[in-house]
Amino acid sequence: MNARLTHAQPYTLGLFRMVLGLLFTCHGAAALFGFFGQDAVPAGTWPNWYASVIQLVAGVLVFVGLGTRTAALVSSGSMAYAYFTVHQPHGLFPIENGGEAPVFFCWAFLLVVFTGPGALALDRLFSSRADNGVDADGERQQQRTAVAA
């Protein structure tokens, strides 16, 4: 059973990355364009408009898996900033101050920074290291083949 789970790991991680990116993109689109019953944030207002742009752009990049680790790091940082400046002053714990979503986004994006994009990512197509037998996650393809066999 462990072999099957190990084999499915890159695909599960890729699916996690895509869902995470899609949710973050929806937050940005809702704030910037007034989608999903939200009011649009006035252009240029600090920090809401800039956070919405980060959510939209980084969310799309994470969703498609292009520049994934960088986009995830920026996203994680923006959610940490949102939590500590907007939510944390209203209570110590996220359950008290309504900050569960920023905390989950922050830690989920930080996970993607360290695990990489998983399968089905554009990073894999544009990686120059793929020509050297190393995939976008830095793992040797020969080692993966040997483990799967």
Side-chain angles (χ1 to χ4, degrees):
M1 180 150 159
N2 281 339
R4 286 187 190 174
L5 292 175
T6 301
H7 181 69
Q9 184 178 6
Y11 300 101
T12 306
L13 183 58
L15 182 61
F16 175 77
R17 172 191 44 82
M18 288 188 271
V19 170
L20 182 64
L22 180 63
L23 290 173
F24 210 54
T25 301
C26 289
H27 276 275
L32 285 176
F33 307 118
F35 293 159
F36 310 115
Q38 301 276 337
D39 291 330
V41 174
T45 57
W46 176 259
N48 296 347
W49 186 81
Y50 294 95
S52 301
V53 170
I54 289 172
Q55 290 170 0
L56 182 67
V57 173
V60 168
L61 289 173
V62 168
F63 176 76
V64 299
L66 185 62
T68 307
R69 289 180 181 213
T70 303
L73 183 63
V74 170
S75 299
S76 178
S78 74
M79 289 293 96
Y81 178 83
Y83 178 76
F84 286 111
T85 60
V86 175
H87 297 279
Q88 201 275 328
H90 301 288
L92 180 61
F93 297 108
I95 196 73
E96 293 177 298
N97 59 35
E100 295 97 340
V103 169
F104 276 124
F105 274 123
C106 178
W107 285 102
F109 280 120
L110 195 62
L111 178 68
V112 172
V113 169
F114 286 97
T115 60
L120 309 171
L122 289 180
D123 281 341
R124 293 182 180 272
L125 294 176
F126 299 118
S127 174
S128 61
R129 295 186 298 171
D131 300 333
N132 298 329
V134 177
D135 66 11
D137 291 330
E139 185 177 341
R140 291 220 163 268
Q141 292 170 352
Q142 294 88 1
Q143 291 173 346
R144 182 181 299 145
T145 306
V147 170

